[in-house]
Structures are given as structure tokens and as C-alpha cells.
Amino acid sequence: MNDKEVILISSKKFRKRSVIAFILFVIFLAGTVFAWKWIHKQPDMAGVPQPLRKVLNTNENIFSNFLTDKHLAETYPRSAAAKRVRVNGDIGLKSTLDTMAWKLKLVRSPGDTLLIGLADIKALPKTELVFNFKCIEGWSQITDWAGVRFSDFVKKYHLNQETHMNYAGLSTPDDKYYVGIDMASMMHPQTLLCYEMNGKPLPLNQGYPLRLIIPVKYGIKHIKRIGTIYFSNIRPPDYWYERGYDYYSGL
Ligand SMILES: Nc1nc2c(c(=O)[nH]1)N[C@H]1C(S)=C(S)[C@@H](COP(=O)(O)O)O[C@H]1N2
Ligand SMILES: [Mo]
């Protein structure tokens, strides 16, 4: 066999392989289009086709069991915190707030609601936290917050029984924004009922008088202007979950 023959044989083989590769590619493409159409024909579950929601639920279980309640978010010196803090999201903040009349509604059980004023909350042990706040839209910012640890608040108001439930639900006074949080994340030592940013009372657009700061979660869970807190064994409704986002939104 001379050199020329070798080249001819291999280029013939090469062409054959190209044809096979092309056929496989067409089959793959058809399969992808079919799978895409099939997924979108399935009924929606909380804003997402059911098969995809199942994948999200599996992810949630992994992350909620192994990460959320165990790791501490990295903290920073106060000097690293942004002076001009980004404002994002005003759902539930558009109605006028009677700042003098505001009280936190703490629903211990249906029909048993405690009204707690801001001064009472400020009288509890204060915890400061400088951490990297992460929004699910892709930005992050090192910011400086202070308030009472939810776990300290629980001690003060004897919520031991309530915190054996699976979730806490929080909503704005007008109920237009609402989140559900698994209890392990609520009781995490860095989760704050927060009333200060950069050492000053929260600005109105950042949740005055009280917001949640929960570094084990993305920004969507850091509800601003808390009106009500309640407890539940089933998942409380969640604004962004209803619009297709992950229920836990853990980091
Ligand atoms: N009441 C209320 N809280 C909210 C939102 C909102 O629209 N309404 N947006 C959330 C989102 S998506 C983010 S990223 C953070 C932003 O907090 P900031 O405005 O203090 O930066 O608030 C969260 N809390
Ligand atoms: Mo966000």
C-alpha cells in the first residue's frame, strides 16, 4: 500500500463517520425538541412545569438538609460595608405606613396574637452583622445591619413550642409581599429581625421599621416591612415561589 492509498482510505472512512455524526446530531436535536415540548405540556406546579419543579424540590432537599442550617455566612469589617445601599423591590411598601401605630403582629397560634412595639424589640440583645447580601438577579453588596437575632426573640417571647413547627411565615402589613422560611434557617444565629442599617434606623424603602436579614438565603427572602409573623407545619405561601423561584432559595 502506498501513501496515496492510505490517504484515500482514511478520507473515505472520515466521510462515513461524518455522516454518522450528523445523523446522531439530528436524532439528538429531535430528542431535545421533543423533551422541551413534553416538559412544557406538563401541568405547572408553583409556576414551573411539574418535572422541572421535581428537580428543584430535589435540589432544595439537598441544600436545606446539608447547608442552610449549618454554615455561617462570611462576615466583614464595618469599613467594608457600602455607604450607598442598593434599593431593590417595593412590593408591600406602596401603601402608606402609620409609623407611630406600627406593631409587629406575632401570631403564636390562630386566635392568639401578640402585638409588639419597636421599642420592645430594640430592648432585646442587639446583634450587628456585616455580610455580602446576594440578590438572585445576580448582584451582591457588602452591607451593615443590626437587630435582634430571631433565636433571641424566640427566647424572650417563649416561642419554644411554635419553633417546633416546620416553617415561619412573614408578611408585610398589607399582605402584598410574603415569605415562608424553614425553621432551621429562621433559627440560624445570623438571622435577624433587623431595625438598623449602617447604624441608623432602616430607611422606609429598605423596610422601616423591621425587616428580615437572613444571610443563608437570597435577597428575595429578606422581607422588608414585616407586619406579621406566624408559624406553620405546612409551607406558608411565598411570593416568589408562586412565580417560579425555589422555595428555599438557600445559599
Ligand atoms: N416587602 C418587600 N421586601 C422585599 C422585596 C420586596 O419587593 N418587597 N424585595 C426583596 C428582594 S428581591 C431583595 S434583593 C431585597 C432587597 O433589599 P434592599 O432593597 O434593602 O436592597 O429585598 C427583598 N425584600
Ligand atoms: Mo432580589
Side-chain angles (χ1 to χ4, degrees), residues 88-89 133-139 177 218-221 240:
N88 202 52
F133 188 109
K134 292 175 185 153
C135 171
I136 218 156
E137 292 166 343
W139 55 268
Y177 198 79
Y218 276 110
I220 49 177
K221 294 287 189 179
W240 285 112

Side-chain angles (χ1 to χ4, degrees), residues 86-91 135 172 177 206 211 219-220 222 224:
R86 190 167 173 157
V87 178
N88 202 52
D90 63 354
I91 306 153
C135 171
T172 52
Y177 198 79
Q206 296 197 286
R211 75 175 297 170
I220 49 177
H222 298 229
K224 299 188 274 193

Side-chain angles (χ1 to χ4, degrees), residues 114-129:
L114 217 60
L115 295 177
I116 304 170
L118 187 58
D120 299 324
I121 294 169
K122 284 187 170 174
L124 299 176
K126 182 170 169 178
T127 299
E128 196 185 325
L129 182 72

